[in-house]
Short mmCIF file of all heavy atoms in Angstrom, two decimals:
data_model
loop_
_atom_site.label_atom_id
_atom_site.label_comp_id
_atom_site.label_asym_id
_atom_site.label_seq_id
_atom_site.Cartn_x
_atom_site.Cartn_y
_atom_site.Cartn_z
N MET H 1 -7.75 22.99 17.41
CA MET H 1 -7.01 21.98 16.68
C MET H 1 -7.88 21.57 15.46
O MET H 1 -9.07 21.31 15.56
CB MET H 1 -6.85 20.77 17.54
CG MET H 1 -6.12 19.60 16.93
SD MET H 1 -6.19 18.15 17.89
CE MET H 1 -4.65 18.07 18.58
N GLU H 2 -7.31 21.48 14.32
CA GLU H 2 -7.97 21.13 13.09
C GLU H 2 -7.97 19.58 12.87
O GLU H 2 -7.05 18.90 13.20
CB GLU H 2 -7.32 21.84 11.89
CG GLU H 2 -7.88 21.54 10.66
CD GLU H 2 -7.30 22.22 9.51
OE1 GLU H 2 -6.84 23.33 9.68
OE2 GLU H 2 -7.21 21.67 8.45
N ASN H 3 -9.18 18.99 12.50
CA ASN H 3 -9.29 17.64 12.33
C ASN H 3 -8.84 17.30 10.98
O ASN H 3 -9.30 17.94 10.01
CB ASN H 3 -10.81 17.17 12.44
CG ASN H 3 -11.25 17.14 13.93
OD1 ASN H 3 -10.41 17.14 14.80
ND2 ASN H 3 -12.54 17.24 14.13
N GLN H 4 -7.99 16.31 10.84
CA GLN H 4 -7.60 15.84 9.55
C GLN H 4 -8.30 14.50 9.19
O GLN H 4 -8.38 13.62 10.03
CB GLN H 4 -6.06 15.62 9.44
CG GLN H 4 -5.25 16.83 9.40
CD GLN H 4 -3.81 16.71 9.12
OE1 GLN H 4 -3.23 15.75 9.76
NE2 GLN H 4 -3.22 17.32 8.29
N ILE H 5 -8.87 14.52 7.96
CA ILE H 5 -9.48 13.20 7.44
C ILE H 5 -8.33 12.49 6.73
O ILE H 5 -7.75 12.87 5.99
CB ILE H 5 -10.66 13.57 6.58
CG1 ILE H 5 -11.66 14.35 7.33
CG2 ILE H 5 -11.15 12.27 6.01
CD1 ILE H 5 -12.84 14.82 6.42
N GLU H 6 -8.23 11.14 7.31
CA GLU H 6 -7.18 10.38 6.81
C GLU H 6 -7.62 9.87 5.42
O GLU H 6 -8.81 9.54 5.32
CB GLU H 6 -6.84 9.13 7.62
CG GLU H 6 -6.18 9.57 9.02
CD GLU H 6 -5.86 8.37 9.85
OE1 GLU H 6 -6.46 7.26 9.56
OE2 GLU H 6 -5.09 8.45 10.66
N ASN H 7 -6.71 9.89 4.50
CA ASN H 7 -6.98 9.38 3.16
C ASN H 7 -6.49 7.96 3.04
O ASN H 7 -5.22 7.73 3.02
CB ASN H 7 -6.27 10.28 2.09
CG ASN H 7 -6.72 9.88 0.72
OD1 ASN H 7 -7.67 9.22 0.58
ND2 ASN H 7 -5.89 10.30 -0.22
N VAL H 8 -7.37 6.98 3.08
CA VAL H 8 -7.11 5.60 3.05
C VAL H 8 -7.16 5.05 1.64
O VAL H 8 -8.37 5.08 1.23
CB VAL H 8 -7.93 4.77 4.08
CG1 VAL H 8 -7.42 3.41 4.02
CG2 VAL H 8 -7.62 5.32 5.51
N LEU H 9 -6.14 4.58 1.05
CA LEU H 9 -6.24 4.02 -0.28
C LEU H 9 -6.14 2.58 -0.09
O LEU H 9 -5.39 1.99 0.74
CB LEU H 9 -5.06 4.51 -1.11
CG LEU H 9 -4.85 5.92 -1.25
CD1 LEU H 9 -3.54 6.33 -1.86
CD2 LEU H 9 -6.03 6.51 -2.00
N VAL H 10 -6.99 1.76 -0.79
CA VAL H 10 -7.18 0.27 -0.51
C VAL H 10 -6.98 -0.45 -1.92
O VAL H 10 -7.56 0.01 -2.87
CB VAL H 10 -8.58 -0.07 -0.11
CG1 VAL H 10 -8.68 -1.61 0.20
CG2 VAL H 10 -8.86 0.73 1.26
N PHE H 11 -6.03 -1.45 -1.85
CA PHE H 11 -5.71 -2.08 -3.16
C PHE H 11 -5.77 -3.64 -2.96
O PHE H 11 -5.56 -4.20 -1.90
CB PHE H 11 -4.22 -1.80 -3.53
CG PHE H 11 -3.94 -0.24 -3.59
CD1 PHE H 11 -3.55 0.44 -2.54
CD2 PHE H 11 -4.23 0.35 -4.80
CE1 PHE H 11 -3.27 1.82 -2.64
CE2 PHE H 11 -3.95 1.64 -4.88
CZ PHE H 11 -3.57 2.46 -3.87
N ALA H 12 -6.06 -4.24 -4.09
CA ALA H 12 -5.81 -5.80 -4.20
C ALA H 12 -4.37 -6.01 -4.76
O ALA H 12 -3.98 -5.19 -5.66
CB ALA H 12 -6.92 -6.42 -5.13
N THR H 13 -3.68 -6.87 -4.22
CA THR H 13 -2.27 -7.11 -4.73
C THR H 13 -2.02 -8.56 -4.85
O THR H 13 -2.87 -9.43 -4.61
CB THR H 13 -1.35 -6.63 -3.73
OG1 THR H 13 -1.24 -7.49 -2.55
CG2 THR H 13 -1.57 -5.23 -3.20
N ASN H 14 -0.94 -8.93 -5.44
CA ASN H 14 -0.49 -10.26 -5.58
C ASN H 14 0.81 -10.57 -4.57
O ASN H 14 1.59 -11.52 -4.80
CB ASN H 14 -0.07 -10.66 -6.99
CG ASN H 14 1.10 -9.98 -7.52
OD1 ASN H 14 1.52 -8.99 -7.00
ND2 ASN H 14 1.78 -10.51 -8.56
N ILE H 15 0.80 -9.76 -3.50
CA ILE H 15 1.87 -9.94 -2.54
C ILE H 15 1.42 -11.23 -1.74
O ILE H 15 0.42 -11.15 -1.00
CB ILE H 15 1.97 -8.69 -1.66
CG1 ILE H 15 2.39 -7.59 -2.61
CG2 ILE H 15 3.04 -9.00 -0.66
CD1 ILE H 15 2.26 -6.18 -1.94
N ALA H 16 2.09 -12.25 -1.88
CA ALA H 16 1.70 -13.59 -1.25
C ALA H 16 2.33 -14.04 0.00
O ALA H 16 1.76 -14.81 0.73
CB ALA H 16 1.62 -14.57 -2.32
N THR H 17 3.59 -13.69 0.14
CA THR H 17 4.36 -14.29 1.22
C THR H 17 5.05 -13.18 2.06
O THR H 17 5.06 -12.02 1.74
CB THR H 17 5.60 -15.05 0.61
OG1 THR H 17 6.42 -14.22 -0.01
CG2 THR H 17 5.06 -16.11 -0.37
N GLU H 18 5.47 -13.58 3.26
CA GLU H 18 6.16 -12.63 4.11
C GLU H 18 7.47 -12.03 3.44
O GLU H 18 7.78 -10.97 3.64
CB GLU H 18 6.64 -13.34 5.42
CG GLU H 18 5.48 -13.55 6.45
CD GLU H 18 4.94 -12.13 6.98
OE1 GLU H 18 5.60 -11.15 7.06
OE2 GLU H 18 3.71 -12.21 7.19
N ASN H 19 8.07 -12.87 2.63
CA ASN H 19 9.20 -12.42 1.89
C ASN H 19 8.89 -11.25 0.88
O ASN H 19 9.59 -10.25 0.73
CB ASN H 19 9.97 -13.60 1.11
CG ASN H 19 11.28 -13.21 0.44
OD1 ASN H 19 12.02 -12.44 1.08
ND2 ASN H 19 11.49 -13.66 -0.74
N ASP H 20 7.81 -11.45 0.22
CA ASP H 20 7.22 -10.52 -0.63
C ASP H 20 6.92 -9.16 0.09
O ASP H 20 7.16 -8.11 -0.36
CB ASP H 20 5.93 -10.95 -1.39
CG ASP H 20 6.05 -11.98 -2.42
OD1 ASP H 20 7.34 -12.19 -2.78
OD2 ASP H 20 5.20 -12.55 -2.83
N LYS H 21 6.27 -9.39 1.26
CA LYS H 21 6.00 -8.26 2.14
C LYS H 21 7.18 -7.41 2.46
O LYS H 21 7.15 -6.16 2.52
CB LYS H 21 5.20 -8.76 3.43
CG LYS H 21 4.74 -7.66 4.29
CD LYS H 21 3.83 -8.19 5.46
CE LYS H 21 3.45 -7.11 6.33
NZ LYS H 21 2.73 -7.70 7.48
N GLN H 22 8.21 -8.14 2.81
CA GLN H 22 9.53 -7.47 3.21
C GLN H 22 10.09 -6.56 2.03
O GLN H 22 10.56 -5.58 2.27
CB GLN H 22 10.57 -8.52 3.69
CG GLN H 22 11.83 -7.91 4.24
CD GLN H 22 11.56 -6.97 5.43
OE1 GLN H 22 10.71 -7.40 6.33
NE2 GLN H 22 12.13 -5.86 5.46
N LYS H 23 9.84 -7.23 0.84
CA LYS H 23 10.39 -6.48 -0.40
C LYS H 23 9.71 -5.11 -0.50
O LYS H 23 10.40 -4.11 -0.89
CB LYS H 23 10.18 -7.26 -1.53
CG LYS H 23 11.10 -8.46 -1.79
CD LYS H 23 10.73 -9.22 -2.98
CE LYS H 23 11.60 -10.49 -3.10
NZ LYS H 23 11.19 -11.33 -4.24
N ILE H 24 8.44 -5.08 -0.30
CA ILE H 24 7.65 -3.76 -0.37
C ILE H 24 7.77 -2.89 0.89
O ILE H 24 7.65 -1.72 0.79
CB ILE H 24 6.20 -3.94 -0.80
CG1 ILE H 24 5.42 -4.65 0.27
CG2 ILE H 24 6.12 -4.62 -2.05
CD1 ILE H 24 4.05 -4.17 0.44
N SER H 25 8.14 -3.50 1.99
CA SER H 25 8.07 -2.75 3.28
C SER H 25 9.15 -1.67 3.30
O SER H 25 8.96 -0.57 3.78
CB SER H 25 8.23 -3.66 4.54
OG SER H 25 9.55 -4.15 4.57
N ASN H 26 10.30 -2.01 2.60
CA ASN H 26 11.42 -1.00 2.59
C ASN H 26 10.99 0.19 1.88
O ASN H 26 11.35 1.39 2.17
CB ASN H 26 12.65 -1.62 1.98
CG ASN H 26 13.27 -2.72 2.79
OD1 ASN H 26 13.09 -2.71 3.97
ND2 ASN H 26 13.92 -3.69 2.22
N ILE H 27 10.24 0.08 0.73
CA ILE H 27 9.69 1.17 -0.18
C ILE H 27 8.72 1.89 0.60
O ILE H 27 8.76 3.11 0.72
CB ILE H 27 9.21 0.61 -1.42
CG1 ILE H 27 10.29 -0.04 -2.32
CG2 ILE H 27 8.49 1.75 -2.19
CD1 ILE H 27 9.77 -0.79 -3.41
N LEU H 28 7.73 1.17 1.15
CA LEU H 28 6.60 1.92 1.77
C LEU H 28 7.05 2.55 3.09
O LEU H 28 6.65 3.72 3.34
CB LEU H 28 5.47 0.95 2.11
CG LEU H 28 4.86 0.29 0.83
CD1 LEU H 28 3.83 -0.71 1.34
CD2 LEU H 28 4.41 1.18 -0.08
N ASP H 29 7.92 1.94 3.93
CA ASP H 29 8.35 2.57 5.14
C ASP H 29 9.25 3.74 4.87
O ASP H 29 9.33 4.73 5.62
CB ASP H 29 9.17 1.57 5.94
CG ASP H 29 8.28 0.60 6.59
OD1 ASP H 29 7.01 0.70 6.77
OD2 ASP H 29 8.82 -0.58 6.92
N GLY H 30 10.00 3.78 3.72
CA GLY H 30 10.92 4.81 3.33
C GLY H 30 10.32 5.98 2.74
O GLY H 30 10.83 7.01 2.40
N ASN H 31 9.06 5.89 2.45
CA ASN H 31 8.29 7.04 1.77
C ASN H 31 7.59 7.91 2.79
O ASN H 31 6.72 7.47 3.43
CB ASN H 31 7.20 6.36 0.81
CG ASN H 31 6.52 7.47 -0.06
OD1 ASN H 31 6.28 8.60 0.40
ND2 ASN H 31 6.34 7.13 -1.42
N THR H 32 8.13 9.05 2.88
CA THR H 32 7.64 9.99 3.93
C THR H 32 6.22 10.44 3.72
O THR H 32 5.65 10.96 4.60
CB THR H 32 8.55 11.27 4.00
OG1 THR H 32 8.54 11.89 2.71
CG2 THR H 32 9.97 10.86 4.40
N GLU H 33 5.64 10.25 2.60
CA GLU H 33 4.23 10.59 2.30
C GLU H 33 3.30 9.49 2.71
O GLU H 33 2.01 9.76 2.67
CB GLU H 33 4.12 10.91 0.82
CG GLU H 33 4.88 12.08 0.36
CD GLU H 33 4.66 12.33 -1.15
OE1 GLU H 33 5.39 11.72 -2.06
OE2 GLU H 33 3.72 13.13 -1.40
N ILE H 34 3.62 8.39 3.25
CA ILE H 34 2.95 7.31 3.69
C ILE H 34 2.90 7.40 5.22
O ILE H 34 4.05 7.19 5.76
CB ILE H 34 3.47 5.98 3.21
CG1 ILE H 34 3.25 5.83 1.59
CG2 ILE H 34 2.60 4.81 3.83
CD1 ILE H 34 3.81 4.75 0.98
N GLN H 35 1.82 7.66 5.80
CA GLN H 35 1.67 7.72 7.27
C GLN H 35 1.69 6.32 7.84
O GLN H 35 2.24 6.02 9.01
CB GLN H 35 0.52 8.54 7.78
CG GLN H 35 0.55 10.02 7.64
CD GLN H 35 0.10 10.49 6.23
OE1 GLN H 35 -0.85 9.89 5.76
NE2 GLN H 35 0.59 11.63 5.72
N GLN H 36 1.02 5.44 7.14
CA GLN H 36 0.84 4.07 7.80
C GLN H 36 0.37 3.16 6.67
O GLN H 36 -0.17 3.61 5.63
CB GLN H 36 -0.33 4.13 8.77
CG GLN H 36 -0.67 2.89 9.56
CD GLN H 36 -1.77 3.08 10.50
OE1 GLN H 36 -2.26 4.24 10.81
NE2 GLN H 36 -2.37 1.92 10.98
N TRP H 37 0.70 1.89 6.84
CA TRP H 37 0.21 0.87 5.71
C TRP H 37 0.07 -0.50 6.46
O TRP H 37 0.66 -0.76 7.44
CB TRP H 37 1.14 0.82 4.59
CG TRP H 37 2.55 0.25 4.83
CD1 TRP H 37 3.67 1.03 5.31
CD2 TRP H 37 2.96 -1.05 4.81
NE1 TRP H 37 4.75 0.21 5.40
CE2 TRP H 37 4.35 -1.10 5.21
CE3 TRP H 37 2.35 -2.29 4.47
CZ2 TRP H 37 5.17 -2.28 5.24
CZ3 TRP H 37 3.07 -3.42 4.44
CH2 TRP H 37 4.47 -3.45 4.88
N THR H 38 -0.88 -1.28 5.93
CA THR H 38 -1.17 -2.59 6.34
C THR H 38 -1.31 -3.49 5.16
O THR H 38 -1.85 -3.12 4.24
CB THR H 38 -2.25 -2.78 7.35
OG1 THR H 38 -3.45 -2.29 6.73
CG2 THR H 38 -2.05 -1.98 8.63
N LEU H 39 -1.02 -4.78 5.36
CA LEU H 39 -1.15 -5.78 4.30
C LEU H 39 -1.80 -7.08 4.88
O LEU H 39 -1.25 -7.59 5.87
CB LEU H 39 0.19 -6.07 3.67
CG LEU H 39 0.11 -7.19 2.53
CD1 LEU H 39 -0.70 -6.74 1.42
CD2 LEU H 39 1.46 -7.61 2.21
N ASP H 40 -2.85 -7.45 4.35
CA ASP H 40 -3.66 -8.67 4.92
C ASP H 40 -3.29 -9.74 3.92
O ASP H 40 -3.96 -10.01 2.90
CB ASP H 40 -5.20 -8.40 4.94
CG ASP H 40 -5.81 -9.52 5.63
OD1 ASP H 40 -5.28 -10.60 5.91
OD2 ASP H 40 -7.08 -9.41 5.80
N LEU H 41 -2.31 -10.63 4.37
CA LEU H 41 -1.94 -11.76 3.60
C LEU H 41 -2.97 -12.92 3.60
O LEU H 41 -2.87 -13.81 2.77
CB LEU H 41 -0.51 -12.22 4.06
CG LEU H 41 0.61 -11.36 3.82
CD1 LEU H 41 1.96 -11.96 4.32
CD2 LEU H 41 0.86 -11.10 2.18
N GLU H 42 -3.85 -12.78 4.65
CA GLU H 42 -4.76 -13.84 4.72
C GLU H 42 -6.02 -13.70 3.82
O GLU H 42 -6.73 -14.59 3.45
CB GLU H 42 -5.36 -13.86 6.17
CG GLU H 42 -4.25 -14.29 7.27
CD GLU H 42 -3.60 -15.62 7.00
OE1 GLU H 42 -4.32 -16.59 6.80
OE2 GLU H 42 -2.31 -15.63 7.10
N ASP H 43 -6.26 -12.40 3.45
CA ASP H 43 -7.34 -12.11 2.51
C ASP H 43 -7.14 -12.65 1.08
O ASP H 43 -5.93 -12.57 0.69
CB ASP H 43 -7.61 -10.64 2.52
CG ASP H 43 -8.88 -10.11 1.78
OD1 ASP H 43 -8.89 -10.17 0.49
OD2 ASP H 43 -9.86 -9.97 2.53
N ILE H 44 -8.13 -13.07 0.43
CA ILE H 44 -7.89 -13.62 -0.94
C ILE H 44 -7.29 -12.56 -1.87
O ILE H 44 -6.61 -12.83 -2.86
CB ILE H 44 -9.18 -14.16 -1.47
CG1 ILE H 44 -8.98 -14.96 -2.74
CG2 ILE H 44 -10.29 -13.08 -1.79
CD1 ILE H 44 -10.16 -15.82 -3.21
N ASP H 45 -7.71 -11.29 -1.62
CA ASP H 45 -7.22 -10.19 -2.45
C ASP H 45 -5.91 -9.59 -1.98
O ASP H 45 -5.36 -8.56 -2.61
CB ASP H 45 -8.29 -8.99 -2.55
CG ASP H 45 -9.46 -9.37 -3.38
OD1 ASP H 45 -9.34 -10.09 -4.32
OD2 ASP H 45 -10.50 -9.05 -2.86
N ARG H 46 -5.29 -10.15 -0.90
CA ARG H 46 -4.01 -9.61 -0.32
C ARG H 46 -4.18 -8.13 -0.19
O ARG H 46 -3.31 -7.49 -0.81
CB ARG H 46 -2.90 -10.06 -1.20
CG ARG H 46 -2.74 -11.52 -1.52
CD ARG H 46 -2.34 -12.35 -0.38
NE ARG H 46 -1.87 -13.60 -0.69
CZ ARG H 46 -2.59 -14.71 -0.69
NH1 ARG H 46 -3.83 -14.66 -0.39
NH2 ARG H 46 -2.03 -15.91 -1.04
N VAL H 47 -5.12 -7.67 0.54
CA VAL H 47 -5.40 -6.17 0.61
C VAL H 47 -4.41 -5.35 1.27
O VAL H 47 -3.87 -5.67 2.42
CB VAL H 47 -6.84 -5.93 1.49
CG1 VAL H 47 -7.14 -4.59 1.56
CG2 VAL H 47 -7.91 -6.83 0.57
N LEU H 48 -3.96 -4.39 0.56
CA LEU H 48 -3.02 -3.40 1.11
C LEU H 48 -3.81 -2.11 1.32
O LEU H 48 -4.46 -1.65 0.39
CB LEU H 48 -1.95 -3.21 -0.02
CG LEU H 48 -0.94 -2.06 0.26
CD1 LEU H 48 0.00 -2.37 1.48
CD2 LEU H 48 -0.10 -1.82 -0.93
N ARG H 49 -3.56 -1.49 2.44
CA ARG H 49 -4.15 -0.31 2.85
C ARG H 49 -3.13 0.75 3.18
O ARG H 49 -2.16 0.37 3.91
CB ARG H 49 -5.13 -0.42 4.11
CG ARG H 49 -6.39 -1.25 3.84
CD ARG H 49 -7.21 -1.44 5.11
NE ARG H 49 -8.40 -2.19 4.81
CZ ARG H 49 -8.42 -3.50 4.73
NH1 ARG H 49 -7.29 -4.22 4.97
NH2 ARG H 49 -9.57 -4.12 4.56
N ILE H 50 -3.18 1.87 2.55
CA ILE H 50 -2.15 2.83 2.79
C ILE H 50 -2.78 4.22 3.24
O ILE H 50 -3.85 4.57 2.51
CB ILE H 50 -1.35 3.13 1.45
CG1 ILE H 50 -0.60 1.75 1.21
CG2 ILE H 50 -0.43 4.27 1.53
CD1 ILE H 50 0.27 1.94 0.01
N VAL H 51 -2.33 4.87 4.15
CA VAL H 51 -2.77 6.09 4.66
C VAL H 51 -1.77 7.16 4.18
O VAL H 51 -0.68 7.16 4.50
CB VAL H 51 -2.88 6.16 6.27
CG1 VAL H 51 -3.43 7.53 6.67
CG2 VAL H 51 -3.81 5.12 6.72
N SER H 52 -2.37 7.98 3.32
CA SER H 52 -1.50 9.15 2.72
C SER H 52 -2.37 10.32 2.40
O SER H 52 -3.41 10.13 1.70
CB SER H 52 -0.75 8.70 1.57
OG SER H 52 -0.03 9.78 1.04
N ASP H 53 -2.01 11.46 2.77
CA ASP H 53 -2.76 12.62 2.42
C ASP H 53 -2.46 13.18 0.94
O ASP H 53 -3.05 14.00 0.53
CB ASP H 53 -2.60 13.86 3.40
CG ASP H 53 -3.16 13.30 4.88
OD1 ASP H 53 -4.32 12.67 4.76
OD2 ASP H 53 -2.63 13.75 5.91
N THR H 54 -1.31 12.71 0.45
CA THR H 54 -0.80 13.30 -0.81
C THR H 54 -0.60 12.26 -1.90
O THR H 54 -0.72 12.77 -3.09
CB THR H 54 0.57 13.92 -0.44
OG1 THR H 54 1.49 12.82 0.04
CG2 THR H 54 0.55 15.02 0.37
N LEU H 55 -0.47 11.14 -1.67
CA LEU H 55 -0.22 10.07 -2.75
C LEU H 55 -1.62 9.63 -3.39
O LEU H 55 -2.59 9.60 -2.73
CB LEU H 55 0.59 8.81 -2.26
CG LEU H 55 1.99 9.09 -1.83
CD1 LEU H 55 2.50 7.85 -1.22
CD2 LEU H 55 2.79 9.66 -3.09
N SER H 56 -1.51 9.39 -4.72
CA SER H 56 -2.69 8.96 -5.43
C SER H 56 -2.62 7.49 -5.67
O SER H 56 -1.60 6.77 -5.41
CB SER H 56 -2.81 9.66 -6.79
OG SER H 56 -1.65 9.12 -7.64
N GLU H 57 -3.75 6.89 -6.02
CA GLU H 57 -3.73 5.44 -6.33
C GLU H 57 -2.78 5.02 -7.35
O GLU H 57 -2.04 4.14 -7.28
CB GLU H 57 -5.12 5.03 -6.78
CG GLU H 57 -6.27 5.06 -5.66
CD GLU H 57 -7.59 4.89 -6.19
OE1 GLU H 57 -7.90 4.87 -7.41
OE2 GLU H 57 -8.50 4.41 -5.29
N GLU H 58 -2.67 5.91 -8.40
CA GLU H 58 -1.77 5.62 -9.49
C GLU H 58 -0.34 5.70 -9.05
O GLU H 58 0.49 4.79 -9.46
CB GLU H 58 -1.84 6.72 -10.61
CG GLU H 58 -3.19 6.77 -11.42
CD GLU H 58 -4.31 7.33 -10.59
OE1 GLU H 58 -4.11 8.07 -9.69
OE2 GLU H 58 -5.58 6.92 -10.84
N GLN H 59 0.10 6.52 -8.09
CA GLN H 59 1.50 6.58 -7.64
C GLN H 59 1.72 5.30 -6.75
O GLN H 59 2.92 4.79 -6.85
CB GLN H 59 1.53 7.84 -6.74
CG GLN H 59 1.65 9.16 -7.50
CD GLN H 59 1.62 10.29 -6.61
OE1 GLN H 59 0.72 10.50 -5.76
NE2 GLN H 59 2.57 11.25 -6.87
N ILE H 60 0.70 4.86 -5.98
CA ILE H 60 1.05 3.54 -5.27
C ILE H 60 1.12 2.45 -6.17
O ILE H 60 2.06 1.54 -6.05
CB ILE H 60 -0.08 3.33 -4.25
CG1 ILE H 60 -0.30 4.55 -3.34
CG2 ILE H 60 0.09 1.99 -3.54
CD1 ILE H 60 0.90 4.67 -2.33
N ILE H 61 0.39 2.34 -7.23
CA ILE H 61 0.43 1.15 -8.15
C ILE H 61 1.73 1.21 -8.84
O ILE H 61 2.27 0.21 -8.99
CB ILE H 61 -0.79 1.37 -9.24
CG1 ILE H 61 -2.09 1.07 -8.46
CG2 ILE H 61 -0.58 0.41 -10.37
CD1 ILE H 61 -3.31 1.39 -9.32
N LYS H 62 2.16 2.39 -9.24
CA LYS H 62 3.46 2.54 -9.87
C LYS H 62 4.67 2.05 -8.96
O LYS H 62 5.58 1.44 -9.35
CB LYS H 62 3.71 3.98 -10.30
CG LYS H 62 4.91 4.16 -11.22
CD LYS H 62 4.95 5.61 -11.72
CE LYS H 62 6.15 5.68 -12.67
NZ LYS H 62 6.25 7.01 -13.25
N LEU H 63 4.55 2.42 -7.67
CA LEU H 63 5.54 1.97 -6.65
C LEU H 63 5.66 0.44 -6.57
O LEU H 63 6.70 -0.03 -6.51
CB LEU H 63 5.19 2.51 -5.33
CG LEU H 63 5.61 3.98 -4.91
CD1 LEU H 63 5.06 4.32 -3.56
CD2 LEU H 63 7.07 4.20 -4.93
N LEU H 64 4.55 -0.17 -6.61
CA LEU H 64 4.56 -1.63 -6.60
C LEU H 64 4.91 -2.26 -7.78
O LEU H 64 5.67 -3.31 -7.73
CB LEU H 64 3.20 -2.11 -6.06
CG LEU H 64 3.08 -1.91 -4.50
CD1 LEU H 64 1.75 -1.43 -4.10
CD2 LEU H 64 3.28 -3.20 -3.83
N ASP H 65 4.48 -1.70 -8.87
CA ASP H 65 4.72 -2.17 -10.27
C ASP H 65 6.27 -2.22 -10.38
O ASP H 65 6.77 -3.08 -11.02
CB ASP H 65 4.18 -1.27 -11.29
CG ASP H 65 4.38 -1.87 -12.67
OD1 ASP H 65 4.01 -3.07 -12.84
OD2 ASP H 65 4.80 -1.19 -13.56
N ASN H 66 7.01 -1.16 -9.88
CA ASN H 66 8.43 -1.08 -9.96
C ASN H 66 9.20 -2.23 -9.30
O ASN H 66 10.25 -2.58 -9.57
CB ASN H 66 8.97 0.25 -9.42
CG ASN H 66 8.70 1.40 -10.34
OD1 ASN H 66 8.37 1.22 -11.50
ND2 ASN H 66 8.67 2.56 -9.79
N LYS H 67 8.41 -2.87 -8.34
CA LYS H 67 8.96 -4.07 -7.67
C LYS H 67 8.30 -5.35 -8.25
O LYS H 67 8.42 -6.50 -7.57
CB LYS H 67 8.77 -3.93 -6.14
CG LYS H 67 9.63 -3.06 -5.53
CD LYS H 67 11.04 -3.52 -5.52
CE LYS H 67 11.96 -2.63 -4.74
NZ LYS H 67 13.33 -3.02 -4.87
N ASN H 68 7.65 -5.28 -9.39
CA ASN H 68 7.12 -6.38 -10.18
C ASN H 68 5.95 -6.94 -9.32
O ASN H 68 5.71 -8.24 -9.28
CB ASN H 68 8.11 -7.54 -10.45
CG ASN H 68 9.19 -6.88 -11.38
OD1 ASN H 68 8.88 -6.26 -12.33
ND2 ASN H 68 10.44 -7.20 -11.04
N PHE H 69 5.13 -6.22 -8.60
CA PHE H 69 3.95 -6.61 -7.98
C PHE H 69 2.74 -6.17 -8.72
O PHE H 69 2.78 -4.95 -9.01
CB PHE H 69 3.96 -6.41 -6.46
CG PHE H 69 4.89 -7.16 -5.68
CD1 PHE H 69 6.00 -6.51 -5.19
CD2 PHE H 69 4.75 -8.54 -5.46
CE1 PHE H 69 6.97 -7.28 -4.41
CE2 PHE H 69 5.59 -9.22 -4.67
CZ PHE H 69 6.82 -8.63 -4.23
N ASN H 70 1.71 -6.87 -8.68
CA ASN H 70 0.43 -6.32 -9.30
C ASN H 70 -0.41 -5.66 -8.20
O ASN H 70 -0.41 -6.13 -7.05
CB ASN H 70 -0.42 -7.51 -9.85
CG ASN H 70 0.21 -8.16 -11.03
OD1 ASN H 70 1.00 -7.49 -11.84
ND2 ASN H 70 -0.04 -9.32 -11.25
N CYS H 71 -1.02 -4.58 -8.48
CA CYS H 71 -1.78 -3.77 -7.55
C CYS H 71 -2.82 -3.11 -8.23
O CYS H 71 -2.61 -2.43 -9.31
CB CYS H 71 -0.87 -2.80 -7.00
SG CYS H 71 -1.48 -1.68 -5.73
N SER H 72 -4.05 -3.27 -7.84
CA SER H 72 -5.23 -2.48 -8.38
C SER H 72 -6.05 -2.04 -7.22
O SER H 72 -6.21 -2.67 -6.27
CB SER H 72 -6.05 -3.44 -9.23
OG SER H 72 -6.51 -4.51 -8.56
N ALA H 73 -6.68 -0.87 -7.45
CA ALA H 73 -7.44 -0.19 -6.50
C ALA H 73 -8.72 -0.84 -6.31
O ALA H 73 -9.39 -1.43 -7.28
CB ALA H 73 -7.77 1.29 -6.93
N LEU H 74 -9.19 -0.97 -5.05
CA LEU H 74 -10.46 -1.55 -4.59
C LEU H 74 -11.45 -0.38 -4.27
O LEU H 74 -10.99 0.55 -3.62
CB LEU H 74 -10.27 -2.53 -3.34
CG LEU H 74 -9.61 -3.83 -3.72
CD1 LEU H 74 -9.43 -4.56 -2.44
CD2 LEU H 74 -10.47 -4.63 -4.69
N GLU H 75 -12.68 -0.58 -4.59
CA GLU H 75 -13.67 0.41 -4.19
C GLU H 75 -14.07 0.26 -2.68
O GLU H 75 -14.19 -0.81 -2.17
CB GLU H 75 -14.95 0.25 -5.08
CG GLU H 75 -14.61 0.67 -6.53
CD GLU H 75 -14.25 2.13 -6.67
OE1 GLU H 75 -14.93 3.02 -6.12
OE2 GLU H 75 -13.33 2.34 -7.44
#
C-alpha cells in the first residue's frame, strides 16, 4: 500500500459567521478535489484548512473570491 501525503492548504479568511460558513460549505463540499476542510471561526484569522492533492492556493482563493470572501494563504 502506497502512503499518500496529504496536501493541507491553510488560509486566513474574513468568514465571520455560521451563515458565511454555510455559503462556502456548498462550494467546498461540492468540489470533488477537496477531500476535507475545516474552518475555525474562533481564531482571529478565521483559519480555513483544505486537504486537496490537486488544488492550488490560487484556485482556493479564486473559489472564495467568487463568493465575495477574502482569503489569503498562511505559511
